[in-house]
Amino acid sequence: MAALFNGLFGGPKSAQTPISSADDADFADFAGAPDPSPASIPPGAASPAIAQVANPTSGSFAVPYTRWYRIWERASPSDFYQELFILPFVLLVVFVHVWGTRKNKRKAKGWITAHAPVLEREFAVVGFGGRKAPSLDDVQSSGLTKALGSDELVIPEELLKEKTAQEYSTYATGRQNVAFVDIKLSLFKRYNPIYLMGEYVVSFFFDSIPTPVERMEATLYAFDGKEKDLVPVPGGKQGQEIIETRSKGTNSSYDGFVWAVVNKEVMRRLRDDRYDVSLTSTKDHAKLPSWATVMTESAEVSELLVTPELIKVVEEAGDALEYLIVTDQPLDKPNKLNETIPKKRISLSLKLSSSPTTYSTTLPLFTHFLRLPDTLVQSAHFRPEVTRRLKATREEEIRKLKRVDEDEKAEERKVEGDKKKRELRDSRLKGMSAEEQRKFLDKEREKESRKSSKKMTKKA
């Protein structure tokens, strides 16, 4: 017990006893070896500010102790060869990313700078910031009423919204016959050249994957006589005046149809991707350029819309035009009856040029696109024969969906009836004895065998 307390509390240790066991004879050479002592270091080997510290792993290598900020005393350039090899690649990636994002921003700003005046003339509100508040000079020069009614656009930063580094969007509303228009700019992924190069390579080997293209896609949604549902009316006398003005004005509805002017390069892709375009037939027009074609449901629709003005703006736009579509059908094939409700809209897709100065060739077509609803409201009211043909296609699709819906409901009713029959059968079996259950199951098997035999005889 005394030895235990001495070991725990640091008491005097007993002298070592010599090794006498035969099992430990192999370690007899080390039993009498003296304890290792640290090597002596000459006084002149270390300066007063640096002390030698033994390395616990090697026992012979000494690391000098320095202040924490004296990195040059503890490291050398050879310790950073790996970082020096990686750093140029990191800087290159950062430079390409910054250059690509800034290039896309400049391209988007160049587009909105060229098209903002046209949007301002056609719409009351452009962009996401609303109107500018009138300044004091405007109020003093033209009065408060005129200053509030000014058509001046908001600051340029609020005209475009950056969704991603390669996608920008804008919005405009406040025009007769038009509810609103959505515009999307899709640019190259310049900030990721490896991915962009991969897209080009894959599109070269697979026809199903389109070649990357910078484009502008605009979708204009028509009121179609639904101003009361889409535009809120203030209460009181002012609201009553607005309602009376609308009732006296012209109706903004027009006959529904699908018509398009399409670049032949994208015609096949449009037929595969869009349900509404698949309803049309392709007919070349003698007055349009050879690279463009008309896709329409009726020849009378083409006679109405292929005007000299349209032919002129299409020729000026050239290959930049991908498609101009007037439609009332959904993009995807409807699977339910509520998806067949007509939604009249106009779509325009243009390839973006590499230079902002060439927007002058596509601006006339863009302006024609914005003003096309006025032509439709005024003239797109066809003869009853044409209207019946246009409605026949839509009614046929509705009948197909109704049949499918009725079949699904009949299947659901059948499943529900079978479920109730099984529940009734199970409840009856629970109240029977073993003998009664056996007889009941035998009768069921007999009925099933008779039914199967009748089916076999009918087939024969």
Side-chain angles (χ1 to χ4, degrees):
M1 183 61 72
L4 177 62
F5 277 99
N6 289 336
L8 291 175
F9 298 100
K13 297 182 180 179
S14 60
Q16 286 184 342
T17 58
I19 299 173
S20 60
S21 175
D23 297 334
D24 297 335
D26 294 336
F27 298 94
D29 296 337
F30 302 97
D35 294 333
S37 59
S40 61
I41 301 174
S47 63
I50 302 176
Q52 295 290 339
V53 179
N55 191 336
T57 57
S58 63
S60 61
F61 179 73
V63 179
Y65 171 78
T66 63
R67 295 286 184 181
W68 63 270
Y69 56 83
R70 294 183 178 179
I71 301 175
W72 59 89
E73 295 180 357
R74 300 193 303 272
S76 63
S78 61
D79 297 329
F80 300 97
Y81 284 161
Q82 185 176 359
E83 287 77 4
L84 292 174
F85 180 76
I86 297 173
L87 185 60
F89 294 98
V90 174
L91 293 177
L92 179 62
V93 170
V94 174
F95 172 77
V96 171
H97 180 83
V98 174
W99 174 83
T101 53
R102 288 187 176 181
K103 177 71 174 178
N104 284 351
K105 283 184 179 180
R106 286 195 299 270
K107 196 173 185 67
K109 286 184 178 180
W111 185 91
I112 196 64
T113 301
H115 293 76
V118 178
L119 292 169
E120 181 186 10
R121 288 195 300 268
E122 298 294 331
F123 293 91
V125 178
V126 180
F128 302 95
R131 294 179 178 274
K132 274 186 178 179
S135 63
L136 181 61
D137 295 336
D138 295 335
V139 175
Q140 290 177 352
S141 60
S142 58
L144 180 61
T145 305
K146 291 184 178 180
L148 290 173
S150 175
D151 292 334
E152 188 177 4
L153 277 175
V154 296
I155 57 176
E157 287 78 4
E158 295 178 350
L159 290 177
L160 275 177
K161 180 182 288 185
E162 181 181 353
K163 289 188 174 181
T164 60
Q166 79 275 2
E167 184 176 330
Y168 292 79
S169 65
T170 187
Y171 167 87
T173 186
R175 189 188 189 280
Q176 187 179 12
N177 302 324
V178 178
F180 58 91
V181 59
D182 283 330
I183 300 174
K184 183 179 74 171
L185 302 179
S186 301
L187 307 177
F188 288 142
K189 295 183 179 179
R190 292 183 171 87
Y191 55 89
N192 193 344
I194 296 177
Y195 186 89
L196 182 61
M197 192 181 302
E199 286 184 335
Y200 274 106
V201 172
V202 173
S203 64
F204 179 78
F205 289 103
F206 299 96
D207 294 336
S208 59
I209 299 177
T211 305
V213 174
E214 290 186 308
R215 61 169 54 91
M216 182 280 302
E217 295 173 299
T219 304
L220 186 150
Y221 296 85
F223 270 126
D224 194 25
K226 299 177 182 177
E227 289 88 346
K228 296 180 181 179
D229 301 330
L230 300 176
V231 181
V233 178
K237 185 178 180 180
Q238 183 181 3
Q240 189 65 28
E241 291 177 356
I242 293 174
I243 293 174
E244 291 177 0
T245 304
R246 287 179 181 176
S247 61
K248 294 178 182 177
T250 58
N251 190 4
S252 61
S253 62
Y254 59 90
D255 294 342
F257 59 89
V258 180
W259 176 89
V261 175
V262 180
N263 193 320
K264 292 181 179 179
E265 293 180 356
V266 299
M267 180 177 62
R268 180 180 177 184
R269 176 170 61 86
L270 284 177
R271 279 199 179 277
D272 296 337
D273 295 345
R274 297 184 57 134
Y275 164 76
D276 52 357
V277 176
S278 65
L279 301 176
T280 63
S281 57
T282 305
K283 296 179 181 179
D284 288 338
H285 199 280
K287 296 182 180 180
L288 286 174
S290 59
W291 52 265
T293 186
V294 175
M295 305 177 76
T296 180
E297 288 186 281
S298 174
E300 289 194 16
V301 178
S302 297
E303 292 176 3
L304 170 68
L305 296 180
V306 182
T307 59
E309 182 184 358
L310 176 67
I311 296 170
K312 181 181 177 182
V313 296
V314 168
E315 289 177 349
E316 290 181 3
D319 291 340
L321 172 65
E322 287 192 319
Y323 58 79
L324 172 65
I325 301 175
V326 182
T327 181
D328 67 332
Q329 295 298 298
L331 293 177
D332 301 322
K333 188 173 182 178
N335 297 319
K336 297 180 181 179
L337 286 174
N338 58 357
E339 295 177 0
T340 60
I341 299 174
K343 296 178 182 178
K344 296 175 182 177
R345 60 199 184 278
I346 306 172
S347 301
L348 174 67
S349 178
L350 294 171
K351 296 178 184 177
L352 297 180
S353 60
S354 57
S355 176
T357 58
T358 56
Y359 288 138
S360 58
T361 59
T362 58
L363 270 173
L365 179 58
F366 185 75
T367 305
H368 182 83
F369 157 75
L370 297 178
R371 296 175 181 175
L372 190 56
D374 301 335
T375 303
L376 297 175
V377 171
Q378 184 178 1
S379 306
H381 305 281
F382 304 106
R383 295 182 295 109
E385 296 81 3
V386 178
T387 306
R388 280 197 296 269
R389 287 199 301 269
L390 295 174
K391 289 182 178 180
T393 306
R394 292 147 180 77
E395 291 174 355
E396 179 63 25
E397 188 64 31
I398 291 173
R399 282 194 292 269
K400 290 179 181 178
L401 291 176
K402 283 184 178 180
R403 286 196 294 269
V404 172
D405 188 53
E406 290 174 358
D407 294 341
E408 291 179 353
K409 289 181 178 179
E411 186 68 23
E412 291 176 359
R413 288 194 296 268
K414 183 180 179 182
V415 171
E416 189 66 24
D418 294 341
K419 183 179 178 181
K420 289 181 179 179
K421 287 180 181 179
R422 284 196 300 270
E423 291 176 354
L424 180 62
R425 173 182 174 276
D426 294 339
S427 62
R428 290 179 62 186
L429 284 173
K430 288 180 181 178
M432 294 180 184
S433 61
E435 184 64 23
E436 290 174 344
Q437 289 180 359
R438 185 183 63 78
K439 292 180 180 179
F440 182 82
L441 294 174
D442 290 340
K443 288 181 179 179
E444 277 190 345
R445 283 193 291 270
E446 290 177 2
K447 288 181 181 179
E448 290 177 358
S449 62
R450 284 197 297 269
K451 287 181 181 179
S452 60
S453 62
K454 286 181 181 179
K455 290 180 180 179
M456 294 295 291
T457 53
K458 286 181 180 179
K459 290 180 180 179

